[in-house]
Amino acid sequence: MTPDHGPLLYEGKAKRVFSSDQANMVFVEFKNDTTAFNSLKRAELENKGRLNCQISACLFELLEKEGVPTHYQALAAENWMMVELVEVIPLEVVLRNVAAGSLCKQTPIAEGTVLSPALFDLYFKDDNLGDPLLTEDRLERMGLVTVEQRRHIEKLARRVNTVLTSFLERLDLTLVDFKLELGFNQAGALVVADEISPDTCRLWDMRITDPQDRILDKDRFRKDLGGVVEAYGEIHKRVQEACSKPRNYN
Ligand code: TMP
Ligand code: ASP
């Protein structure tokens, strides 16, 4: 089912954005397309769009309930949501609770090392430049955000981390790390945008000790481990069950 949308405004690697007839609202369609390593690796994974859309919707609802503003408004179909139109800051905001991925490739920090407090990394979102890691000085020179906005971004991202880590722990899931995109809405408020899903988080199953079998996120695709959609389905199942229950996660 497709909602009654207007023209295509933007197409990214995993989502399409369409206009709507409501002021300041747009439709986002989650695609099955999956990419890694700046699109060097691609696949279409049946059902992925639906699973990511519903997982994201649930996590955005959770954040809203916990006082974290997001662009999310409502689900519009099984792989569509309505969101507030925001001006996305071209930054990938990454929070790391456990060392994995690029951190272990670029430093001697061993995979699995617990990072407390969580490591806050900012990357410049630019495919042509390969999304480079930014220093505070570089960020300031680039003038993308003010020093005060950078502080606000870090505070918001750490709050998201606290809420999500606590929620996912109760589902026996370790939130290893995740990437957020933030933007300013029409009222000028900083809100969480994009998606929060196994495409943008590393999630390990606490019920499994094997370092490969426990992976329930896009690393299954990046590392050719197979069972990608099944892993996303497991996240979907646990998140959906918890989503419908009353909760208080601080
Ligand atoms: P990294 O270890 O490769 O830097 O990734 C950190 C987190 O960010 C991980 O949860 C995956 C997520 N991520 C994205 O959502 N998009 C990307 O393009 C990349 C490179 C990572
Ligand atoms: N965003 C990456 C890409 O451009 C995918 C990833 O590694 O998450 O393909």
Side-chain angles (χ1 to χ4, degrees):
M1 198 191 72
T2 304
D4 192 13
H5 60 78
L8 178 71
L9 298 174
Y10 169 80
E11 177 155 10
K13 285 178 279 200
K15 295 183 289 299
R16 291 189 190 94
V17 181
F18 295 86
S19 62
S20 82
D21 55 12
Q22 289 191 52
N24 297 331
M25 296 294 160
V26 291
F27 285 111
V28 177
E29 179 193 14
F30 284 65
K31 303 194 286 185
N32 289 333
D33 301 8
T34 312
T35 66
F37 315 117
N38 208 357
S39 299
L40 278 177
K41 187 169 181 177
R42 298 158 176 271
E44 189 167 324
L45 302 175
E46 206 181 332
N47 251 333
K48 191 206 70 155
R50 180 181 72 83
L51 295 168
N52 275 357
C53 180
Q54 293 175 12
I55 294 165
S56 279
C58 173
L59 297 177
F60 281 139
E61 283 169 20
L62 167 73
L63 290 174
E64 289 279 349
K65 276 188 198 133
E66 297 298 325
V68 178
T70 77
H71 71 159
Y72 176 77
Q73 298 294 311
L75 275 173
E78 58 176 19
N79 65 321
W80 289 75
M81 57 173 69
M82 182 169 262
V83 306
E84 197 179 5
L85 182 64
V86 301
E87 197 186 319
V88 176
I89 306 165
L91 288 175
E92 300 207 335
V93 179
V94 172
L95 258 284
R96 301 177 189 273
N97 296 307
V98 179
S102 68
L103 179 66
C104 302
K105 289 205 182 93
Q106 295 165 359
T107 73
I109 302 172
E111 181 168 289
T113 306
V114 173
L115 307 164
S116 184
L119 184 61
F120 172 79
D121 281 335
L122 289 177
Y123 297 83
F124 180 41
K125 189 174 160 63
D126 186 318
D127 281 345
N128 292 326
L129 297 177
D131 299 339
L133 177 66
L134 295 176
T135 61
E136 267 192 54
D137 277 358
R138 286 186 187 192
L139 181 65
E140 205 177 326
R141 299 289 167 106
M142 286 166 66
L144 279 180
V145 289
T146 64
V147 172
E148 198 183 319
Q149 285 169 338
R150 186 215 167 277
R151 274 196 213 110
H152 190 179
I153 289 170
E154 178 168 354
K155 200 170 164 210
L156 202 62
R158 289 193 183 279
R159 174 74 186 140
V160 170
N161 189 35
T162 302
V163 173
L164 292 184
T165 300
S166 152
F167 172 74
L168 292 165
E169 236 170 46
R170 289 164 205 229
L171 310 181
D172 289 343
L173 296 168
T174 302
L175 180 60
V176 173
D177 57 29
F178 62 97
K179 183 260 309 186
L180 293 179
E181 291 185 27
L182 303 175
F184 295 102
N185 69 9
Q186 301 306 298
L190 187 67
V191 305
V192 179
D194 194 50
E195 68 181 289
I196 306 176
S197 73
D199 266 10
T200 62
C201 301
R202 285 196 173 89
L203 297 158
W204 291 351
D205 192 343
M206 290 179 190
R207 299 170 191 163
I208 296 176
T209 49
D210 181 87
Q212 290 198 338
D213 293 349
R214 69 184 172 186
I215 296 172
L216 294 176
D217 58 67
K218 199 183 186 180
D219 270 353
R220 299 206 71 82
F221 175 70
R222 297 189 186 98
K223 298 176 180 213
D224 289 321
L225 298 176
V228 183
V229 175
E230 290 77 4
Y232 284 38
E234 181 62 26
I235 300 291
H236 179 262
K237 192 179 107 199
R238 292 192 206 179
V239 164
Q240 284 298 121
E241 268 174 29
C243 223
S244 45
K245 288 188 193 136
R247 60 202 158 220
N248 181 20
Y249 301 101
N250 282 304

